[in-house]
Amino acid sequence: MANEISWAALTGTAEVAEALAATVRPLLGDPTDLRAYIPEDAFAIGGGAGATRVGQYDAHHAFEAATSEIVGSNVTNASIGAGGFLHTLANYKKRFQVSDLNKLVAPRGGINLDLLAIVLSNGVGLTYTMLACDVFASITATAGSTTTDMSVDYFFDSHYALNLVHAPADRVMVVRPKSFNEFVESLRSEAGALQYSPDAVAMLSSKGAAYKGNFLGTDIHATDYVDADGGGTYYQGAMFQTGGLARQAGPAEARAPRAANVAYIAMGELLMVFDYDPDNALEALVGHLAVSVVLAENNRCVELRSQVA
């Protein structure tokens, strides 16, 4: 066993709050949640298949000119298009353990099961963000460079690629925090109309974690979940339009344990199960997710590259 939350382990660190304000404070971390930009596809319980297929069709068809006065003699059937993608749910888990003694002597507002349940709940959005960033490497279109810093030019290059394929305007850019800093540094040296843009002035102001604001109609997020390529030489961020990625989740209640003596909490896709180890006087809270994030339509996405070094 390791990382048990016990009074002995926390005394002098997290539990010193008893002498100060009877509370604990979270450390800095990455709170990025991209679910707002990733539409959710429904999951059918008991479908009898390991994957769920989502169909796609071509919704844009102009009429053809008739070549004869007798229209019925020269009209052929048009293709509606045939496409789709697959969701395959996978299991993701997180476990915390708390000692019995810690529950007895921990100060009010300290680290307890209620707090850990909140931590697990917050982890749902982070898991979707992690999975979304893993998808970026599969995007066909690219902008940026593997050997230079992120810049305003690469921002516009991404829009250029999306404009060519008629992508709608609801777009988001997701990059590494270092890449965002480079973007801001590049913006500082811009001349012409852009330097007077209110969005440019706002982007140069101090930013918090995750969401950095909207620049020229594009939401920008910075997250450590953006991966580097296999060689670790460049980051693989992305700009994508809503609908470029898709997500799916198995409902927690359908996966909940049926044993009468097992306590659990089911919240949407999050299943939290309580477990007890009587030999070691430890209570565990285990979070379970069965989710999927996939590349739904390549044309709605651009991989945005910038160097790691």
Side-chain angles (χ1 to χ4, degrees), residues 36-218:
Y37 309 96
I38 308 173
E40 182 174 8
D41 294 313
F43 177 76
I45 301 173
T52 304
R53 181 173 180 81
V54 179
Q56 295 170 312
Y57 68 97
D58 183 359
H60 306 92
H61 292 268
F63 283 44
E64 301 174 5
T67 59
S68 168
E69 180 182 357
I70 306 174
V71 177
S73 66
N74 67 345
V75 176
T76 58
N77 291 326
S79 171
I80 195 67
F85 56 90
L86 293 176
H87 281 292
T88 303
L89 299 184
N91 288 320
Y92 299 88
K93 305 176 186 297
K94 180 68 70 172
R95 178 187 181 97
F96 293 110
Q97 271 190 318
V98 182
S99 74
D100 281 0
L101 179 60
N102 185 77
K103 288 185 290 182
L104 286 171
V105 300
R108 173 178 53 84
I111 295 178
N112 52 39
L113 290 175
D114 292 338
L115 177 63
L116 296 177
I118 295 174
V119 173
L120 289 177
S121 180
N122 292 339
V124 175
L126 297 178
T127 303
Y128 279 115
T129 297
M130 174 187 70
L131 296 175
C133 291
D134 289 344
V135 171
F136 294 166
S138 302
I139 297 171
T140 301
T142 63
S145 169
T146 63
T147 58
T148 57
D149 291 346
M150 174 64 189
S151 72
V152 174
D153 287 343
Y154 298 157
F155 172 87
F156 285 111
D157 288 345
S158 299
H159 277 294
Y160 185 93
L162 292 174
N163 291 340
L164 287 176
V165 295
H166 314 291
D170 50 331
R171 303 171 186 178
V172 58
M173 183 174 80
V174 183
V175 294
R176 194 85 173 186
K178 175 180 179 292
S179 302
F180 174 75
N181 286 340
E182 294 162 354
F183 170 75
V184 172
E185 186 67 22
S186 172
L187 186 59
R188 289 177 58 194
S189 61
E190 285 293 313
L194 191 57
Q195 67 180 313
Y196 302 109
S197 165
D199 281 4
V201 175
M203 194 55 58
L204 294 175
S205 64
S206 179
K207 301 297 175 184
Y211 179 64
K212 301 300 184 181
N214 184 285
F215 182 67
L216 303 181
T218 302

